Amino acid sequence: METDEGFEEFYRTTRHRVVTVLYGLSGDLGEAQDAAQEAYVRAWQRWRRISEYEDAEAWVRTVGQRLLLNRWRKIRNGLTAYRRHGVQPSARPPDENTVALVTALRRLPEEQRVAVVLHHLADLSVAEIATQTGAPSGTVKARLARGRKALATMLDTALPEEAAHA
């Protein structure tokens, strides 16, 4: 038996009723459609078992209702947190140095950018970067050196002595 045998027909014949019920419960057609879609995805993933249920549509409806309930809980919890803590202070816009650095990092080849970011922003050692990227340590060192040199040129900055000879 193929996994989706009968699912298309089930979906076609039940979708409208399920969305209608979820719409009635939520009062929001978009939310109802999203919950129904997720419920049907979950049903399709378990279709072999669910297709044998006496009322597979009830299973989908129940999953959709639970999804709506979870969304309502998240909204309620967000409102509670807002009332308790107030509005988050606005983040200041990045300064010109940050913008210049991010722009320069984007211009680096990906391998160099990964090495520089992991080393300088995530504080990973050369060995840790090598393990994470699957590149030999010597390659990581070369990428770091090339990346630093390219960044210094793009940012019109002199490299510290230890970085210049890395």
Side-chain angles (χ1 to χ4, degrees):
M1 178 168 122
E2 209 171 291
T3 307
D4 61 353
E5 186 176 313
F7 182 80
E8 286 184 34
E9 179 67 21
F10 168 73
Y11 176 80
R12 194 173 25 261
T13 60
T14 62
R15 183 193 156 287
H16 181 72
R17 282 190 306 272
V18 169
V19 170
T20 301
V21 168
L22 297 177
Y23 180 34
L25 292 171
S26 69
D28 183 318
L29 182 58
E31 288 288 323
Q33 290 170 331
D34 288 348
Q37 179 181 6
E38 178 64 26
Y40 277 107
V41 166
R42 292 179 184 189
W44 180 76
Q45 291 170 336
R46 300 163 179 82
W47 186 241
R48 282 186 185 213
R49 187 179 70 230
I50 293 168
S51 65
E52 296 175 4
Y53 289 0
E54 188 174 316
D55 190 356
E57 183 178 343
W59 186 93
V60 172
R61 254 191 334 270
T62 301
V63 170
Q65 290 170 329
R66 289 179 180 157
L67 289 165
L68 287 174
L69 184 60
N70 286 339
R71 288 178 182 157
W72 292 332
R73 284 183 186 140
K74 286 180 185 175
I75 291 169
R76 184 189 67 214
N77 291 341
L79 287 172
T80 302
Y82 172 77
R83 286 185 196 119
R84 190 175 297 145
H85 304 290
V87 179
Q88 292 282 340
S90 296
R92 294 184 325 208
D95 66 21
E96 62 186 46
N97 291 334
T98 301
V99 172
L101 177 60
V102 170
T103 301
L105 282 168
R106 286 181 180 155
R107 292 176 54 199
L108 287 179
E110 183 178 359
E111 297 84 9
Q112 290 175 19
R113 182 174 57 248
V114 168
V116 168
V117 167
L118 291 178
H119 187 70
H120 293 285
L121 299 180
D123 291 324
L124 296 183
S125 68
V126 170
E128 291 168 325
I129 297 169
T131 299
Q132 188 169 332
T133 61
S137 292
T139 302
V140 171
K141 288 178 184 177
R143 289 175 181 168
L144 276 170
R146 289 185 190 118
R148 288 177 184 139
K149 184 175 181 181
L151 284 173
T153 300
M154 285 185 252
L155 298 173
D156 195 29
T157 305
L159 284 172
E161 185 63 30
E162 68 273 5
H165 300 293

